[in-house]
Amino acid sequence: PQELANTAWAFATLGVHAPELFEAITHASLQRIGGFNAQDFSNTAWAFAKFGIHAPELVHAIARESEQCIGSFNEQGLANTAWAFAIAGTADR
């Protein structure tokens, strides 16, 4: 999962909008979401939000799964993830 998160983060950081790549990352991430760690969740959520990519299924999966490792988030990761959820319009319960 780290390679998916890092790829999304790198493209977003460089400002390279690649919709087909992000669609592929969405599908692969959903299949492997259980293997993500806090940094993977944060980087992925941030990258999708930076481009305003609408991927509600992925955002909800990140919200649900990240609860299991919420104590592993550092301050920056938690802030980035919260920002990404706000941008995505997610008010996950």
Side-chain angles (χ1 to χ4, degrees):
Q2 182 179 2
E3 68 277 4
L4 297 169
N6 287 353
T7 300
W9 176 86
F11 273 72
T13 297
L14 293 172
V16 178
H17 190 63
E20 291 175 0
L21 173 64
F22 276 82
E23 186 171 330
I25 289 172
T26 297
H27 293 295
S29 294
L30 287 169
Q31 293 174 344
R32 299 171 62 190
I33 198 82
F36 276 50
N37 63 30
Q39 187 69 48
D40 299 332
F41 289 131
S42 178
N43 286 351
T44 302
W46 178 84
F48 276 74
K50 182 157 190 306
F51 280 129
I53 295 171
H54 186 68
E57 189 176 1
L58 179 59
V59 172
H60 287 289
I62 289 171
R64 182 183 63 249
E65 294 293 324
S66 64
E67 289 180 29
Q68 305 303 315
C69 65
I70 196 72
S72 300
F73 279 80
N74 63 27
E75 293 83 3
Q76 185 68 54
L78 195 55
N80 286 350
T81 305
W83 173 82
F85 288 168
I87 294 299
T90 302
D92 207 327
R93 289 111 329 255

